[in-house]
Amino acid sequence: MQIQDLPYPDPGVPDARSGPRFLWWLGRNQLGGQLKALAWGLLHFVAVSALPFCVGYAVQAVVDRSGERLALAGGLLALCGTATALGDTFLHRTAVTNWITAAARVQQLLARKAARLGSALTRRVAAGEVVAVSTGDVEKIGWFVEAVSRFTAAALTVVVVCVGLVVYQPALGVVVAVGLPVVALAALPLLPHATRRADVQREKAGRATELASDTVAGLRVLRGIGGEELFLDRYRHASQEVRRAAVRSAGMWALIAALQVLLPGLLLIVVVWYGVRLAREGRISVGELVTVYSSVMVLNYPLWHFQEIAMAYSFSRPSAKRAARVLSLERATDPAGTPSEGAETGAVPSGDLYDPATGLLVPEGLLTAVVCGDPDAAGRLAERLGGHAPEGGPSVLVGGVALDELPLEAARTAVLVQDKDPVLLSGSLRDLLDVPASGAIGAAEALAAAQCDDVLETLVQGSLGAADPLDAHITERGRSLSGGQRQRLALARSLLTDPEVLVLDEPTSAVDSHTEARIAEGVRRLRHGRTTVVFTSSPLLLDRADRVVLVHEGEVAAVGVHRDLVDTEPRYRAVVTRETDAEQARGELTGVEEIGELGELEEELEEIEETA
């Protein structure tokens, strides 16, 4: 896979059982790129390590006054220099390709998982963790994947050079062969401490990122209640904790780096001291001493990659663990594990929508309003109706078919859920409405039903040169629009898709009552004959629903039409009219007092009749 071939046609199915297994899976899926990087790395490192032999050969040729061997040494040096440059160039190119393609694969996997889970993702994983995985963690994982081939080439080069030195000059070669493993592995006892400190830093950085994300998302509300400075102080405190953790982590890595400088220096001193003694005794030549000395000097370069791979692994391991945790999330399935009849075919089901957990039944083709006293419970129920049941929970049925057992495409075609806080991506209005749709409803009809006339005017005024409202630009998350305008655009987008079942969670909570009444009529008209579920407590929407269901404490408590339920169901009336417990108690007490007064009046009438 080359960079120009990205994205992957299919990023594959990752091994998300653990962070190390995920890294191993990434490496196996880039075996071709790893082998290329290994080959170029071996060419580069071996050429660099061969330079001392050429230099030693040249020095000995000068000592022996041999012009022929000196010319040969010059030719070998030129050949090694060319191989070094060629190997370094293509090693860097191949390693960067491995890095970018690995990071792109992870990003594609995360994007596919986010599309598969939808809004359930941020309910099961913190939003800050998702942001951290899709940004910084992706780069760290890519770093480790591309560093593996360089480290392997460096390790093989060290082995080859040690063997070569032992053969070339056994007396000094044995010293180098024994000393180099000690130098390379001396930092191993410090790696667990460095890894733990790096993990603490990543954990604190993740919390700071999550806090920053939540603060930015709620900045408008925080300013309204005067809590902006409070949350900024919390973020400053969190960022200072990250700084202190980073300093502690950097201190440990600095110690490891110092050992990587100190120990090769000590080895070099030992080699020079022992080599000078051997040269004075006449057991080795000057050229051999120069060769061994230069080899130890040059080997510091491949030895540095031992430190790099240790750093890359310690930094990428928690990142891979977080990525694996996100990628291991799956759509909930029927605990019994037996596919429902019709689920195996993958066809889009039709029929009544039924939730076994609450007993909610939504008849096909009707507009059903659902009233929940708890907004969070309403959000969870809407999520479940979209096919995202909690772990171990029963699946919602559409026409008797378990929704979460269907292929994702069929499930999304069958049921569309619009969250209470929908997201508008930046771009033109035409891009916003460019969504998979049945084609039965046009953009103009959807916008009209959602009462978006003033929204279109606002977009045109804010976009220079946009004669057509569909070409008007929408800023990131629709920040230039009010909450009600964003809601209406999102509603138009949902109506345009024209799914078999449309679930709307508080679609008009941010609009005024007049606009809300017109939206209710527009939705009822446009969705006529289609199954629609609206989670709301607004009387304007409830009065236009074919069927109203009250869900109380996780179960269906009452079913009927709005006006009947207001008169006969106190719990429904309390939610819809915002009646408090005290007001309800006073109403009951007033009713009791009226009954008592009526009884006293009847007794007085009976006494009058007896007297008469």
Side-chain angles (χ1 to χ4, degrees), residues 562-579:
H562 169 62
R563 301 192 180 188
D564 292 343
L565 290 176
V566 168
D567 294 335
T568 60
E569 179 56 60
R571 291 171 296 184
Y572 178 83
R573 183 170 58 248
V575 175
V576 173
T577 64
R578 273 58 169 188
E579 185 180 45

Side-chain angles (χ1 to χ4, degrees), residues 239-428:
S239 63
Q240 288 302 312
E241 288 188 352
V242 175
R243 181 188 62 81
R244 287 190 289 269
V247 169
R248 294 195 58 204
S249 178
M252 184 58 68
W253 287 113
L255 177 59
I256 293 175
L259 287 177
Q260 292 295 316
V261 174
L262 174 63
L263 295 181
L266 294 177
L267 176 61
L268 189 61
I269 291 173
V270 172
V271 168
V272 171
W273 173 77
Y274 187 54
V276 169
R277 286 188 58 186
L278 293 177
R280 291 178 62 183
E281 296 173 0
R283 296 171 59 184
I284 65 172
S285 64
V286 175
E288 291 174 335
L289 176 59
V290 171
T291 298
V292 176
Y293 169 80
S294 302
S295 297
V296 176
M297 287 286 294
V298 171
L299 282 177
N300 284 330
Y301 173 51
L303 281 175
W304 180 83
H305 290 81
F306 285 73
Q307 177 188 347
E308 184 199 19
I309 195 65
M311 291 183 64
Y313 180 71
S314 67
F315 278 79
S316 65
R317 188 177 59 82
S319 297
K321 182 180 178 181
R322 281 194 292 266
R325 183 162 58 247
V326 174
L327 295 175
S328 64
L329 299 175
E330 295 292 344
R331 296 171 63 205
T333 56
D334 190 345
T338 304
S340 302
E341 184 179 352
E344 295 180 347
T345 64
V348 178
S350 60
D352 297 343
L353 180 67
Y354 177 67
D355 177 31
T358 59
L360 173 63
L361 175 65
V362 179
E364 182 182 10
L366 298 183
L367 173 59
T368 301
V370 180
V371 177
C372 293
D374 183 3
D376 293 334
R380 291 191 294 270
L381 179 54
E383 178 183 324
R384 195 159 57 246
L385 293 181
H388 300 293
E391 296 294 338
S395 171
V396 169
L397 304 178
V398 180
V401 178
L403 188 61
D404 61 4
E405 294 176 359
L406 287 172
L408 182 61
E409 184 178 355
R412 292 286 169 81
T413 304
V415 181
L416 172 66
V417 179
Q418 177 180 304
D419 295 334
K420 65 181 65 177
D421 186 20
V423 176
L424 303 182
L425 301 179
S426 61
S428 66

Side-chain angles (χ1 to χ4, degrees), residues 540-560:
L540 292 172
L541 287 174
L542 295 171
D543 193 41
R544 287 163 176 78
D546 299 315
R547 194 166 182 265
V548 179
V549 179
L550 171 65
V551 176
H552 181 70
E553 295 183 353
E555 295 181 353
V556 172
V559 180

Side-chain angles (χ1 to χ4, degrees), residues 454-478:
D454 63 315
V455 184
L456 299 181
E457 294 178 3
T458 301
L459 290 174
V460 170
Q461 292 174 0
S463 301
L464 297 177
D468 188 346
L470 292 178
D471 294 328
H473 182 72
I474 300 175
T475 57
E476 180 187 1
R477 299 182 67 89

Side-chain angles (χ1 to χ4, degrees), residues 53-104:
F53 291 90
C54 298
V55 171
Y57 189 76
V59 170
Q60 192 60 42
V62 172
V63 172
D64 297 340
R65 299 181 182 274
S66 174
E68 182 180 348
R69 284 190 292 165
L70 183 61
L72 178 59
L76 291 175
L77 284 172
L79 180 62
C80 289
T82 302
T84 299
L86 187 66
D88 189 28
T89 300
F90 284 95
L91 170 62
H92 180 73
R93 179 185 179 89
T94 310
V96 170
T97 299
N98 288 339
W99 185 345
I100 294 177
T101 52

